[in-house]
């Protein structure tokens, strides 16, 4: 399979009154056609800014993509004129967002909002777009879709709105669907429904998916490969099973250790990653995780470690990765 | 919706009743009366005048008489009624009778006229000027606000907001003469004073000269003098509101869909941003109407502003009552109109 997306050295910063916020600091990764990539990290790790940069949706000013290439089907999106970029948005790369409650325009019917993309990218007339919209809404599991076309977002629940967002994203058969924490604002049962829906739609439609979350549990059942981000850097990248079985970055180990497990035995305590997430305005030299790391060494505070391959498809950015070999997250 | 509007109109009557009571009480609490003059009239003449206008009756009876004249239809035999009995609605009935309804009474200070005359001849002029001023305010203010918001913190934004600050700070009493001097005296493009429409008016306030330059050449300067001040308020509110909306999540969704900036702004942002702007238009229209006194004086326009102000100093009781009730009526009507527009702009607002 060829690479659908190739990100090289992407760097996005925000120029604020308090200084330069270094949100994404030169990250590189690839995505194959039809693949599902999970991006995990805590708030402020740069995962959302990363994907908004791909779409060139960073609010400028204050934000700016200061470097890097984003090759989509071999074409560098960063160099495209804006009108060509708009032809990619929605049509080739679609995006669904974290807050279904606020991501739909409250004064327009949901039918209209889905039809809009169809008319724009597929050149459909109103009638065809309306029929297709009804199909799409049925596809994402909205009952009585035809009758609900003229309803407004406030007449839908959060989960239903997220389904509408997904229908909107799928409307033009995109090659890549970016889901930016789509389940974070929903309650757990609805979360599972949305995850299952995306899983099923992927099988049906064969699109690639980038799924951003801070929930490692969601990723396990959905993604094939996982990227762990921290402080605007990629810390670890591996196939999903490899990552859960043999995490090598101290941060990944910490994250996995903080998950409750059914097989942990009675009375077992969850571990937490000590300390606070870094302030992206004054990122320290060296590894941003160093102040919280149990394995910190001398080099860690001086220079950011390179992302090095340690096994097939398994990359880690850590100076002290020898120390974590063979570690189990819950063995601490 | 229909039920809501009917409800609002019923409420309006209650509001107008309360306002009429308060106004009546307040104007009689003020010392002096319509026939108090520097050179005192003989007591017999005052007594006669007061008897003529029922001012010798107790207050409660005066008030009831007033309400009765305004609200209750009367049937009378007279073909040519006395001036004080002149009514807005007059229908001739079979058998030589007349049904007369809505009589706001005479004016004490200009004895050849009634309050109904003022409503028929002066009020429409004020409404014409008020409506055109509002149109000027919206056509200048809205685009100015939109441009300032879209080009936030650029030279366009600063320029637009400078114009807005200028408009807010420039009183009509200064703006009017400056305009007259430039366009009326120096360039001689527009007549410095006067008004280009005379009663009778179609549908109560539409001038019969609406299609002619003669009408518009008289309106441009006063409407601009009034409109710029209000346009500044609209511009600043539009800017603030649009800036807030433009950072909403659904705007990002619209962009992620691949829509052009123009469509994102007009279709997705502006409609949401206009909701707070529409809210102020109702009270603003009432404010424009009541505030026309100055501009009417500056430009010599035969509007109602003069009567509104002078009636109070003259203690011209029927004119005070009539003017205040009429302005209150406009305030309520414009607010109902705003509420209807609200529901049209925002589907989350429903009144049933």
């Amino acid at each position: 399979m060829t690479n659908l997306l190739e990100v090289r050295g992407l760097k996005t910063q925000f120029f604020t009154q308090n200084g330069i916020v270094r949100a994404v600091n030169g990250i590189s990764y690839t995505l194959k056609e039809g693949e599902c990539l999970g991006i995990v990290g805590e708030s402020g790790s740069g995962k959302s800014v990363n994907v908004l940069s791909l779409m060139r949706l960073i609010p400028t000013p204050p934000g700016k993509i200061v470097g890097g290439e984003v090759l989509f089907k071999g074409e560098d999106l960063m160099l495209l004129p804006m009108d060509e970029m708009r032809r990619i948005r929605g049509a080739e790369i679609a995006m669904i967002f974290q807050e279904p409650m606020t991501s739909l325009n409250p004064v327009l019917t949901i039918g209209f909002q889905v039809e809009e993309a169809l008319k724009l990218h597929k050149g459909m007339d109103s009638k065809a777009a309306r029929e297709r919209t009804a199909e799409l809404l049925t596809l994402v599991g909205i009952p009585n879709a035809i009758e609900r076309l003229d309803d407004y977002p406030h007449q839908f629940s959060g989960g239903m709105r997220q389904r509408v967002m997904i229908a909107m994203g799928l409307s033009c058969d995109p090659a890549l669907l970016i889901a930016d924490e789509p389940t974070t604002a929903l309650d757990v049962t609805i979360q599972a429904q949305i995850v299952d829906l995306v899983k099923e739609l992927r099988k049906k439609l064969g699109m690639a998916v980038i799924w951003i979350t801070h929930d490692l549990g969601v990723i396990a059942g959905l993604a094939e490969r996982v990227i762990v981000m921290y402080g605007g850097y990629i810390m670890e990248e591996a196939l999903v099973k490899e990552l859960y079985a043999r995490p090598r970055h101290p941060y990944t180990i910490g994250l996995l250790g903080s998950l409750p497990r059914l097989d942990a035995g009675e009375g077992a305590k969850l571990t937490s990653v000590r300390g606070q997430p870094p302030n992206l305005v004054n990122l320290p030299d060296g590894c941003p995780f160093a102040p919280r790391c149990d394995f910190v060494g001398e080099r860690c505070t001086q220079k950011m470690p390179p992302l090095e391959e340690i096994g097939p498809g398994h990359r880690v950015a850590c100076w002290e990765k020898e120390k974590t070999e063979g570690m189990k997250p819950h063995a601490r | 919706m229909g039920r809501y509007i009917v409800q609002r109109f019923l409420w309006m009557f209650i509001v107008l009743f309360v306002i009429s009571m308060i106004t009546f009480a307040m104007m009689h609490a003020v010392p002096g009366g319509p026939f108090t003059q520097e050179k005192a009239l003989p007591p017999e003449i005052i007594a006669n005048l007061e008897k003529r206008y029922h001012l010798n009756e107790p207050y409660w009876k005066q008030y009831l008489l007033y309400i009765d004249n305004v609200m209750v239809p009367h049937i009378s035999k007279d073909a040519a009624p006395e001036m004080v009995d002149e009514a807005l609605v007059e229908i001739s009935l079979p058998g030589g009778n007349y049904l007369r309804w809505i009589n706001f009474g005479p004016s004490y200070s200009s004895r050849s006229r009634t309050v109904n005359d003022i409503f028929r001849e002066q009020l429409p002029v004020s409404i014409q000027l008020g409506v055109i001023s509002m149109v000027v305010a919206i056509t200048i203010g809205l685009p100015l606000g939109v441009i300032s918001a879209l080009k936030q913190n650029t030279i366009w934004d600063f320029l637009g907001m400078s114009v807005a600050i200028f408009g807010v700070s420039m009183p009509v009493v200064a703006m009017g003469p400056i305009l007259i001097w430039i366009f009326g005296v120096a360039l001689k493009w527009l007549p410095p004073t006067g008004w280009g429409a005379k009663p009778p008016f179609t549908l109560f306030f539409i001038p019969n000269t609406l299609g002619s330059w003669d009408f518009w050449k008289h309106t441009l300067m006063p409407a601009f003098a009034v409109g710029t001040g209000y346009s500044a308020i609209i511009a600043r509110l539009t800017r603030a509101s649009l800036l807030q909306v433009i950072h909403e999540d659904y705007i990002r969704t619209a962009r992620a869909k691949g829509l052009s900036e123009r469509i994102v702004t007009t279709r997705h942002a502006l409609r949401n941003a206009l909701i707070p702007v529409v809210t102020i238009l109702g009270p603003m229209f009432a404010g424009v109407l009541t505030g026309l006194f100055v501009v009417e004086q500056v430009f010599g326009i035969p509007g109602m502003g003069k009567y509104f102000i002078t009636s109070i100093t003259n203690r011209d009781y029927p004119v005070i009552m009539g003017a205040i009730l009429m302005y209150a009526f406009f305030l309520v009507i414009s607010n109902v109109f705003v509420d209807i527009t609200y529901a049209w702009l925002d589907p989350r607002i429903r009144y049933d």
Side-chain angles (χ1 to χ4, degrees):
Chain A
M1 274 198 287
T2 52
N3 282 338
L4 177 70
L5 181 77
E6 219 173 310
V7 178
R8 290 185 197 148
L10 182 68
K11 204 179 235 186
T12 303
Q13 302 179 338
F14 291 85
F15 298 86
T16 68
Q17 284 176 341
N18 301 327
I20 299 171
V21 178
R22 296 194 288 149
V24 172
N25 300 306
I27 61 171
S28 306
Y29 57 93
T30 60
L31 182 72
K32 293 187 180 68
E33 268 173 39
E35 189 185 24
C36 181
L37 173 72
I39 300 181
V40 192
E42 57 195 46
S43 307
S45 61
K47 52 196 196 307
S48 286
V49 174
N50 160 25
V51 287
L52 285 173
S53 301
L54 304 187
M55 292 282 270
R56 285 170 67 186
L57 283 173
I58 295 291
T60 313
K64 196 166 184 266
I65 300 163
V66 291
E69 294 173 347
V70 175
L71 298 177
F72 179 76
K73 294 185 173 172
E75 197 172 23
D76 189 353
L77 297 183
M78 297 300 115
L79 301 178
L80 283 185
M82 219 37 184
D83 55 327
E84 279 180 46
M85 186 66 217
R86 278 198 283 269
R87 232 166 282 153
I88 298 223
R89 284 182 192 162
E92 300 271 357
I93 308 178
M95 199 160 172
I96 52 179
F97 297 98
Q98 189 181 123
E99 280 292 339
M101 306 310 273
T102 55
S103 291
L104 288 165
N105 194 326
V107 304
L108 300 173
T109 63
I110 58 126
F112 181 88
Q113 294 187 58
V114 180
E115 284 163 33
E116 213 175 16
L118 288 166
K119 287 181 197 162
L120 180 73
H121 296 297
K122 298 270 176 184
M124 287 187 186
D125 59 27
S126 299
K127 194 167 164 274
R130 200 175 158 83
E131 278 167 18
R132 178 78 185 124
T133 300
E135 277 172 36
L136 284 163
L137 293 180
T138 312
L139 181 72
V140 296
I142 291 177
N144 305 324
I146 295 174
E147 285 146 46
R148 304 220 62 183
L149 286 176
D150 295 320
D151 281 354
Y152 290 92
H154 69 276
Q155 292 162 299
F156 287 77
S157 68
M160 282 294 157
R161 286 189 215 188
Q162 198 58 288
R163 285 171 194 264
V164 173
M165 285 295 291
I166 293 171
M168 196 188 287
L170 297 178
S171 59
C172 299
D173 309 310
L176 169 60
L177 178 72
I178 299 173
D180 185 3
E181 301 203 44
T183 57
T184 308
L186 306 172
D187 59 49
V188 182
T189 48
I190 310 294
Q191 276 184 24
Q193 287 174 18
I194 295 289
V195 170
D196 286 343
L197 175 67
V198 171
K199 244 196 249 182
E200 192 192 307
L201 291 171
R202 258 194 78 212
K203 226 180 278 168
K204 233 183 253 179
L205 308 171
M207 69 206 160
V209 173
I210 295 180
W211 188 284
I212 296 178
T213 183
H214 56 246
D215 186 342
L216 281 162
V218 169
I219 288 285
L222 192 69
E224 281 130 31
R225 216 145 43 85
V226 185
I227 285 174
V228 179
M229 284 189 72
Y230 187 86
Y233 292 96
I234 293 179
M235 291 299 183
E236 184 161 13
E237 180 191 335
L239 293 175
V240 71
K241 280 190 185 133
E242 170 82 4
L243 189 89
Y244 282 78
R246 281 176 289 280
R248 291 294 296 279
H249 196 283
Y251 178 59
T252 318
I253 294 167
L255 274 186
L256 289 170
S258 67
L259 280 183
R261 291 178 69 118
L262 283 176
D263 56 2
E266 211 170 316
K269 281 196 176 129
L270 291 178
T271 53
S272 64
V273 181
R274 65 182 166 84
Q276 294 291 321
N279 180 350
L280 293 172
V281 178
N282 320 301
L283 268 187
D285 289 336
C287 178
F289 189 63
R292 304 171 76 181
C293 186
D294 291 333
F295 304 93
V296 64
E298 224 167 83
R299 277 178 301 178
C300 297
T301 51
Q302 284 153 12
K303 200 166 178 288
M304 178 66 202
L307 193 60
E308 282 175 338
E309 186 135 354
I310 52 160
H314 195 164
R315 298 192 295 165
V316 178
C318 184
W319 292 122
E320 307 292 333
K321 52 184 171 286
E322 291 80 23
K323 291 187 191 165
T324 61
E325 196 165 357
M327 264 197 72
K328 285 273 175 278
H330 282 271
R332 283 198 293 171
Chain B
M1 194 68 174
R3 218 186 113 193
Y4 171 77
I5 294 171
V6 171
Q7 250 175 23
R8 283 295 297 259
F9 273 91
L10 291 178
W11 269 107
M12 180 178 81
F13 277 102
I14 298 171
V15 166
L16 291 180
F17 253 112
V18 173
I19 288 176
S20 73
M21 269 187 253
I22 294 172
T23 311
F24 190 87
M26 282 172 75
M27 75 186 184
H28 282 287
V30 177
F35 308 114
T36 318
Q37 291 176 9
E38 257 177 73
K39 197 171 155 238
L41 292 168
E44 309 83 62
I45 294 184
I46 292 198
N48 272 337
L49 279 167
E50 290 194 334
K51 194 168 176 232
R52 169 78 180 77
Y53 295 119
H54 305 291
L55 293 173
N56 54 350
E57 307 277 5
Y59 286 143
W60 63 267
K61 203 166 173 188
Q62 285 187 43
Y63 180 74
L64 289 183
L65 267 172
Y66 181 79
I67 296 297
D68 175 64
N69 274 331
V70 173
M71 297 282 297
V72 183
H74 292 267
I75 294 173
S76 71
K77 269 216 172 327
D78 309 324
E82 258 189 293
M83 181 66 79
V84 271
D85 293 331
E86 190 260 2
L88 264 187
V89 179
E90 192 173 296
I91 302 164
S92 72
L93 299 171
N97 283 331
Y98 289 89
L99 180 112
R100 299 205 176 80
W101 186 35
I102 313 182
N103 173 15
F104 278 97
S107 163
Y108 297 160
S109 50
S110 51
R111 299 211 183 136
S112 58
R113 297 170 57 98
T114 64
V115 178
N116 282 343
D117 282 334
I118 296 172
F119 286 163
R120 259 193 301 259
E121 290 160 21
Q122 266 70 51
L123 179 64
V125 171
S126 286
I127 294 176
Q128 289 158 13
L129 180 55
V131 169
I132 297 167
S133 301
M134 280 298 282
V135 172
V136 168
I138 294 168
T139 34
I140 296 177
L142 217 57
L144 210 63
V146 172
I147 291 169
S148 293
L150 294 184
K151 311 259 179 203
Q152 190 194 5
N153 296 336
T154 65
I155 182 80
W156 298 107
D157 184 17
F158 295 132
L159 216 63
M161 283 305 108
S162 305
V163 172
I165 298 275
F166 176 80
V168 156
S169 334
M170 192 70 160
V172 176
V173 73
M175 186 81 164
I178 291 173
L179 287 175
I180 290 178
W181 183 73
I182 297 174
F183 296 102
V185 179
L187 295 170
K188 295 196 192 310
W189 288 353
L190 298 167
T193 57
W195 195 248
K198 283 192 177 65
F201 300 102
T202 320
L203 280 178
F204 183 59
F205 76 96
I206 299 167
N208 294 317
T209 46
L210 190 65
S212 73
W213 171 238
D214 196 51
F215 174 69
W216 291 102
K217 71 181 180 191
H218 284 101
T219 50
L220 284 178
M221 284 198 291
F224 196 77
V226 177
T228 39
Y230 288 100
S231 78
I233 299 169
I234 296 176
R236 289 165 61 85
L237 190 65
T238 308
R239 176 179 182 271
S241 171
L242 192 56
L243 276 180
Q244 195 186 348
V245 167
I246 218 94
H247 290 110
E248 292 283 343
D249 289 346
Y250 54 80
I251 297 300
R252 189 178 55 187
T253 308
R255 290 207 178 104
K257 229 186 268 183
L259 296 172
S260 69
E261 276 307 299
R262 193 176 57 82
I263 292 184
V264 170
T265 310
T266 52
R267 200 185 280 167
H268 286 263
L270 207 51
R271 202 165 152 188
N272 283 286
L274 281 184
I275 294 167
V277 180
V278 165
T279 324
I280 60 154
L281 291 185
M284 191 182 263
F285 181 62
V288 167
L289 276 188
T290 46
L292 286 179
F293 171 64
V294 174
V295 78
E296 285 174 359
Q297 291 299 303
V298 171
F299 288 92
I301 295 166
M304 202 174 138
K306 189 180 91 182
Y307 290 90
F308 186 41
I309 305 293
T310 54
S311 67
I312 295 171
T313 49
N314 290 339
R315 307 286 185 277
D316 196 341
Y317 296 145
V319 181
I320 297 178
M321 290 294 286
I324 287 182
L325 284 178
M326 193 48 79
Y327 285 134
F329 171 76
F330 277 114
L331 184 64
V332 178
I333 289 283
S334 4
N335 277 326
V336 172
F337 186 73
V338 163
D339 284 346
I340 295 168
T341 319
Y342 235 31
W344 173 72
L345 279 174
D346 190 340
R348 285 168 295 182
I349 296 167
R350 284 289 169 265
Y351 298 117
D352 32 50

